[in-house]
Amino acid sequence: MAAEVDRRPASVHRQLQTFWKQLTILFVRWPWFVQVLTLFALTRVFSLCVFLGVAAKQGVSPWGDAQPSYFDFVGIWDSDWYERIYVDGYPREIPRDELGHTKENQWAFYALFPFLVRGLHTVSGAEWKYLAPLTATACALVAAVLIYLLFREKASHRDSLWGVVLVGTFPVSAVLQVPYAESLHLALLAAALLLVVRQQYLAAIPVVILMCLARPAGVPFAAAMAVLWIYRWWKRRDNPFPARLSVRLAALVVVSGFSALAWPIIAWLYTGELAAYTDTETAWRGQGLTLFLPWVEAGQGVFGPIAGAIAPVLLAIFAALYLCSPTVRRLGIEIQLWSAAYLLYLLAFLHPQTSTFRLLLPLFPLALAAVFLSPSRAYRGAVVVMFLLLQIVWVAWLWEWTQLPGGGDYPP
């Protein structure tokens, strides 16, 4: 009798092993894009469950009643600003308080995503509440395919799939299915980097123009492309840099630079105020734009006056060493330069706060570098589990609105 009982767990274990093996065999027979979309869709389902779980304990917020539905819950925070753009567009005059200071307004948010949803509404008739998050999720799925293709330029099919999974489970990846511009920007950035890696510089131009109308990443992209041109010219004896490629890459540099300025220029022409965009962007900070200084101030607030001033320098040194590590070098010079330019951009222009975590998403190629660290499934699985747990933390800590003692809450 005891022997029969002992066999049951082993039998169940074998059945599970057999089922998993059959499922794996079936999975590997699917086309690559079906594999990519299936894995990434599963990560979105996980994020959906996290949002539903956190929404169930959400109290009354500035956006509505307690325990909102999924679509109501993902429509808070900056989603509300994008909806205002979708409905009303942008103000002709920059709103100001009694002292003349710029107030928070729509000009801080780029137009491509809300205008895309408006166009889809014209065709489908669906309302923002449902159409915007579904559009963002669709853009995330497109991004997953493009990220896979980019990773395949540098890695095997298996490693590229792991890289896509890490991007999909990244702690802030839940934002890829809310009405933010992150998923659209991620798709355009992945497409631009893919074309650059393939040296299809002219084809990248229209993609970069659109990307610069989705989120403010044109400055680091233009800087990365400029340094890439210098690098390719400097190494032309070892790696031929034909005149036609030189001209095309130079054209991409010029267009990227002008595209980086497109949104501030549009805001200026529309409102008649030269600093309309920068004044609006810094309205959330409560102070003007000063390069690098916010990181020093944040460091001093955490570590004290001396250590705090040193901390950003040590952070920059650590980032530089990491970008020169063997695993990152395997990604290629184009990805190295983009990652370095974007990190420098964050260090120069960003006011460090809780939103900083979300702004790390454009560094998604480093997910493949994390895969390169070890071929061990135990290691890679552990990273995925850690990311999933941290995603729960991110949504519960930052997406759920809980009023602070002084008012407001930390933004996601």
Side-chain angles (χ1 to χ4, degrees):
M1 187 72 175
E4 292 180 2
V5 173
D6 291 340
R7 290 193 195 99
R8 289 177 186 173
S11 176
V12 171
H13 181 66
R14 284 196 297 271
Q15 290 176 358
L16 289 174
Q17 283 185 322
T18 301
F19 173 76
W20 181 255
K21 184 177 180 179
Q22 292 174 343
L23 188 63
T24 303
I25 293 174
L26 178 63
F27 178 79
V28 298
R29 290 176 178 173
W30 292 344
W32 66 266
F33 61 90
V34 177
Q35 296 180 29
V36 171
L37 291 174
T38 299
L39 291 173
F40 205 77
L42 289 174
T43 68
R44 306 281 46 86
V45 171
F46 177 85
S47 297
L48 168 67
C49 294
V50 174
F51 275 124
L52 289 173
V54 176
K57 65 185 190 71
Q58 170 68 68
V60 176
S61 76
W63 297 279
D65 297 330
Q67 297 182 332
S69 68
Y70 169 76
F71 288 104
D72 287 324
F73 192 50
V74 298
I76 66 176
W77 294 106
D78 288 351
S79 304
D80 183 50
W81 283 108
Y82 283 113
E83 184 177 7
R84 295 186 198 185
I85 298 167
Y86 165 84
V87 174
D88 300 322
Y90 292 88
R92 277 283 183 181
E93 296 182 0
I94 300 298
R96 301 185 183 278
D97 61 19
E98 301 79 16
L99 299 177
H101 299 143
T102 301
K103 297 170 65 175
E104 298 172 359
N105 66 86
Q106 294 96 308
W107 281 110
F109 304 92
Y110 286 41
L112 188 60
F113 177 73
F115 283 11
L116 171 62
V117 179
R118 183 186 290 182
L120 293 174
H121 165 75
T122 302
V123 174
S124 66
E127 61 178 294
W128 168 273
K129 177 179 176 179
Y130 305 106
L131 185 58
L134 292 176
T135 300
T137 305
C139 289
L141 293 173
V142 173
V145 173
L146 293 168
I147 289 169
Y148 169 84
L149 292 173
L150 175 62
F151 287 175
R152 281 294 281 134
E153 296 291 319
K154 305 295 179 180
S156 66
H157 170 69
R158 181 173 178 270
D159 286 351
S160 298
L161 284 180
W162 273 107
V164 171
V165 170
L166 291 190
V167 174
T169 57
F170 191 63
V172 300
S173 66
V175 78
L176 296 176
Q177 62 199 68
V178 307
Y180 277 39
E182 262 71 6
S183 56
L184 175 59
H185 178 260
L186 188 68
L188 293 169
L189 175 60
L193 291 175
L194 174 63
L195 292 169
V196 168
V197 168
R198 291 179 174 177
Q199 299 185 7
Q200 296 175 328
Y201 303 126
L202 293 183
I205 287 177
V207 177
V208 171
I209 294 173
L210 291 175
M211 182 184 74
C212 292
L213 294 175
R215 279 197 55 80
V219 170
F221 192 88
M225 294 303 100
V227 177
L228 177 62
W229 189 95
I230 296 171
Y231 175 86
R232 290 294 309 273
W233 182 84
W234 184 261
K235 295 287 186 178
R236 66 190 184 282
R237 292 183 179 178
D238 302 323
N239 183 16
F241 191 35
R244 60 181 179 82
L245 285 182
S246 175
V247 171
R248 292 173 183 178
L249 180 53
L252 178 59
V253 172
V254 172
V255 173
S256 299
F258 280 111
S259 299
L261 300 175
W263 188 247
I265 291 175
I266 291 172
W268 168 32
L269 296 176
Y270 195 79
T271 65
E273 297 190 34
L274 178 61
Y277 170 71
T278 53
D279 285 351
T280 299
E281 187 66 45
T282 55
W284 273 262
R285 306 182 184 187
Q287 61 185 40
L289 179 63
T290 52
L291 301 182
F292 302 105
L293 183 60
W295 285 91
V296 176
E297 293 175 340
Q300 290 175 333
V302 176
F303 302 110
I306 299 177
I310 298 174
V313 178
L314 295 178
L315 180 63
I317 293 173
F318 171 79
L321 292 174
Y322 175 66
L323 292 178
C324 293
S325 65
T327 53
V328 178
R329 287 204 304 270
R330 287 180 62 180
L331 301 178
I333 186 62
E334 296 88 353
I335 302 302
Q336 278 185 284
L337 290 176
W338 159 250
S339 301
Y342 187 71
L343 283 172
L344 182 60
Y345 170 78
L346 293 182
L347 189 62
F349 293 97
L350 181 66
H351 186 276
Q353 55 175 315
T354 47
S355 296
T356 303
F357 303 118
R358 172 170 56 87
L359 298 180
L360 296 177
L361 263 179
L363 294 171
F364 74 89
L366 298 181
L368 187 59
V371 171
F372 287 155
L373 277 174
S374 172
S376 167
R377 284 186 297 177
Y379 155 74
R380 296 176 179 181
V383 173
V384 170
V385 171
M386 178 185 69
F387 278 3
L388 293 175
L389 293 175
L390 289 176
Q391 186 176 148
I392 297 173
V393 172
W394 185 81
V395 175
W397 173 36
L398 294 177
W399 194 265
E400 179 188 4
W401 191 87
T402 306
Q403 184 167 317
L404 298 171
D409 192 14
Y410 297 119

